[in-house]
Amino acid sequence: MFGARLEQLPEIWKELVDAGFESGQAYGKSLRTVKSCVGSTWCRFGVQDSVAMAINLELRYRGLRSPHKLKMGVSGCARECAEARGKDVGVIATDKGWNLYVGGNGGFLPAHAQLLAQDLDDDTLIKYIDRYLMYYIRTADRLQRTARWQEELDGGLKHIEDVIIHDSLGIADDLEAAMARHIDTYQDEWAETLKDPERLRRFRSFVNAPDQKDEAIAFVPERGQIRPATNEEKGGVLIASTIPVRGQG
Ligand code: SF4
């Protein structure tokens, strides 16, 4: 939805919420996507139902705020079509269950996720992911992704394995309880904002003219859509990129 103006967002969200959609939190440091391949339902190589597991993970961790964005992937066999090892949490099906990989990402400094545990059943997989994510959320620096957190953590992956699998710090129950609280209190932020006049007041360009749109924001058509106009396309109207400070010319 490129090109939506601030004051249009509540109207757009209302239509989406009424149609059964919910916020994906792509604006926050939180869970983004859980990518999956087509899995055993549609693929002859699939050994587990990766689609069902991906939906399960997405519903469980949606809205989870964290030090940085989180991405996950679930592949239905070792061919790895969902590229799960390029995600913060990657799940790859085996004949006996699921392998769990942690600490992967793409982007500027790509990192392959590392194997944390093998051949897990569904419940153990989810338990370990609950613990892993909560431990990361509680101990990583702000804006530190899982790969860098794992690298800088004293003891690295071995330490994570001790804490998550062997409960070496005695905090596993606490981490699981914290995740359970997140799941129990999850709310769709679009729907909640639409119900709250105070929050809706943030979505206007001018405090004293709530219905007025900001004319400084101009668009031009491209490939059948609109995109922001350049200064030249705005007809020579120069929009200051910095705010002049008194006494500095
Ligand atoms: S990862 Fe395996 S199960 Fe999934 S689509 Fe690729 S080949 Fe099929």
Side-chain angles (χ1 to χ4, degrees):
M1 279 182 289
F2 293 131
R5 294 191 312 273
L6 184 67
E7 70 277 8
Q8 293 175 314
L9 293 180
E11 242 174 282
I12 293 169
W13 290 340
K14 183 168 183 335
E15 260 186 58
L16 291 171
V17 169
D18 289 348
F21 290 86
E22 62 184 61
S23 167
Q25 280 87 30
Y27 42 79
K29 300 298 177 206
S30 51
L31 177 69
R32 299 286 170 87
T33 49
V34 182
K35 180 179 180 180
S36 90
C37 72
V38 294
S40 57
T41 319
W42 290 282
C43 178
R44 66 199 162 109
F45 297 119
V47 288
Q48 306 287 347
D49 186 353
S50 52
V51 175
M53 180 53 77
I55 292 171
N56 192 2
L57 297 180
E58 186 166 303
L59 293 177
R60 191 170 182 83
Y61 303 119
R62 62 187 167 177
L64 181 67
R65 288 296 197 268
S66 57
H68 211 308
K69 64 187 170 191
L70 286 169
K71 295 182 178 179
M72 300 188 190
V74 186
S75 282
C77 79
R79 285 168 186 79
E80 246 286 67
C81 295
E83 299 167 326
R85 290 198 61 199
K87 307 284 187 266
D88 298 278
V89 173
V91 177
I92 301 178
T94 70
D95 291 336
K96 298 182 195 140
W98 305 98
N99 283 354
L100 172 59
Y101 294 82
V102 289
N105 63 248
F108 194 67
L109 267 183
H112 263 140
Q114 295 172 283
L115 181 64
L116 181 66
Q118 296 184 69
D119 296 324
L120 304 172
D121 59 49
D122 288 14
D123 290 346
T124 311
L125 173 74
I126 302 269
K127 183 169 74 178
Y128 287 174
I129 299 176
D130 279 5
R131 293 177 183 179
Y132 174 80
L133 289 177
M134 245 340 137
Y135 190 49
Y136 162 64
I137 288 168
R138 289 190 168 179
T139 60
D141 287 337
R142 278 197 294 173
L143 297 181
Q144 187 177 40
R145 285 199 71 176
T146 54
R148 304 288 95 79
W149 170 67
Q150 274 176 213
E151 277 168 18
E152 288 174 23
L153 206 58
D154 231 4
L157 187 68
K158 176 75 179 67
H159 170 75
I160 290 173
E161 192 183 309
D162 285 344
V163 174
I164 304 308
I165 300 176
H166 307 301
D167 194 15
S168 60
L169 297 180
I171 58 171
D173 288 348
D174 181 39
L175 297 175
E176 285 175 44
M179 190 59 83
R181 276 195 299 282
H182 159 73
I183 295 158
D184 289 345
T185 55
Y186 166 78
Q187 291 179 320
D188 173 18
E189 289 171 357
W190 286 348
E192 292 309 304
T193 300
L194 289 172
K195 285 188 234 158
D196 183 345
E198 263 315 299
R199 280 159 85 170
L200 281 174
R201 277 161 56 85
R202 295 180 202 158
F203 296 92
R204 52 190 178 170
S205 293
F206 301 100
V207 174
N208 57 355
D211 299 324
Q212 200 171 312
K213 68 178 188 184
D214 186 347
E215 299 293 347
I217 301 172
F219 297 100
V220 293
E222 183 150 327
R223 289 186 292 270
Q225 294 177 301
I226 56 168
R227 65 158 172 82
T230 62
N231 279 340
E232 292 73 37
E233 287 165 337
K234 282 179 193 165
V237 181
L238 191 65
I239 308 291
S241 58
T242 53
I243 299 171
V245 178
R246 199 177 293 171
Q248 292 188 357

